[in-house]
Amino acid sequence: MQLRYLGHSCFEIVHKNNKILIDPFLALVPNYNPEGVTHIFVTHGHGDHLGNAIEISKQTGASITAVFELANYCSSKGVSAQGISLGAWIDFSFGKVIAVPAFHSSSTPDGVYAGCPCGFVFNIDGKILYHAGDTCLNSEMKIIGDLYEPDISCLPVGGCYTMDIEHAVIASEWLKTSMVIPMHYNTFEAIKIDITDFERQIREKGKMPMIMSVGEFLGG
Ligand code: NI
Ligand code: MN
């Protein structure tokens, strides 16, 4: 499996014939070519996460997976969407995914209620990847740690709307994760941080911080 950071909270996962986008806000990669995208996952309705999901789905035919109300909203825009809720593994051609709690809010850019926000745990060939979405630190992360011990955790660190560095470092311990990729920072003024603080503190916990630049690939 190959992971690529597309900026903010957006990641692309390529595994065999699958190309998965999570929170496809592509403002930071205006030349990104979505050709071949097979699956889109959206954690909540805010514009910096729903992003370009609907146009990419229209362009590629990729189905959008999101919490029921958000999926219905996407369907109402004429694209294929699978509504899910928290708490059960769902099978896909690349592996399985479970939606987990995120503590935040969720409405679409035009003000439609979009259900509860979520994070996603992916199991792809036994490799566990957790994408937290937008959330504060919360004790559900201890459960995710107990049950799944993610190999890779993508955690928001920018503060203001989500966890800040201090809480993301605590989250990394609760999650029993080995590698942390910070996200949701420095995109806007309100979430500007010094990422080297995060890098140092995660290292001090004996974990691997993976600071990815926009467009960078991880793995092969
Ligand atoms: Ni949000
Ligand atoms: Mn956000």
Side-chain angles (χ1 to χ4, degrees):
M1 143 182 143
Q2 183 187 66
L3 186 73
R4 187 179 182 202
Y5 182 50
L6 297 178
H8 200 51
S9 294
C10 179
F11 291 85
E12 177 197 76
I13 299 170
V14 176
H15 181 68
K16 296 179 182 162
N17 296 323
N18 303 282
K19 190 186 274 191
I20 303 152
L21 285 179
I22 310 169
D23 282 356
F25 170 72
L26 299 177
L28 304 181
V29 281
N31 296 323
Y32 178 76
N33 179 2
E35 201 178 309
V37 171
T38 54
H39 303 79
I40 302 167
F41 290 82
V42 182
T43 60
H44 64 292
H46 293 160
D48 57 322
H49 299 262
L50 180 60
N52 306 81
I54 288 165
E55 61 184 82
I56 297 168
S57 179
K58 276 190 181 147
Q59 191 180 335
T60 61
S63 181
I64 298 172
T65 300
V67 159
F68 182 73
E69 289 83 356
L70 181 53
N72 282 351
Y73 173 84
C74 295
S75 298
S76 79
K77 300 294 179 191
V79 300
S80 150
Q82 179 180 9
I84 59 162
S85 198
L86 311 188
W89 288 106
I90 296 162
D91 291 318
F92 293 90
S93 50
F94 58 82
K96 57 184 185 171
V97 179
I98 188 167
V100 295
F103 289 71
H104 191 63
S105 63
S106 181
S107 56
T108 64
D110 51 351
V112 177
Y113 170 69
C116 66
C118 72
F120 293 111
V121 177
F122 290 78
N123 183 331
I124 301 176
D125 276 352
K127 187 118 178 151
I128 307 291
L129 179 132
Y130 168 52
H131 185 293
D134 277 1
T135 186
C136 62
L137 180 67
N138 65 81
S139 56
E140 300 294 333
M141 292 168 176
K142 294 185 179 179
I143 296 176
I144 296 169
D146 282 349
L147 294 178
Y148 309 124
E149 295 188 24
D151 297 289
I152 302 173
S153 295
C154 305
L155 302 181
V157 299
C160 191
Y161 311 111
T162 68
M163 291 190 286
D164 55 12
I165 291 174
E166 178 188 340
H167 282 186
V169 171
I170 295 168
S172 75
E173 293 199 287
W174 289 357
L175 289 161
K176 301 178 186 168
T177 192
S178 29
M179 181 189 289
V180 188
I181 303 175
M183 62 180 185
H184 212 274
Y185 68 97
N186 290 357
T187 320
F188 318 114
E189 192 61 38
I191 56 175
K192 280 222 167 110
I193 58 159
D194 181 354
I195 198 64
T196 60
D197 287 344
F198 172 80
E199 192 169 16
R200 178 177 43 76
Q201 290 181 49
I202 289 287
R203 265 191 222 293
E204 282 169 7
K205 298 292 180 192
K207 298 177 184 295
M208 186 192 293
M210 184 58 62
I211 316 297
M212 297 182 76
S213 49
V214 176
E216 189 178 346
F217 291 92
L218 173 75

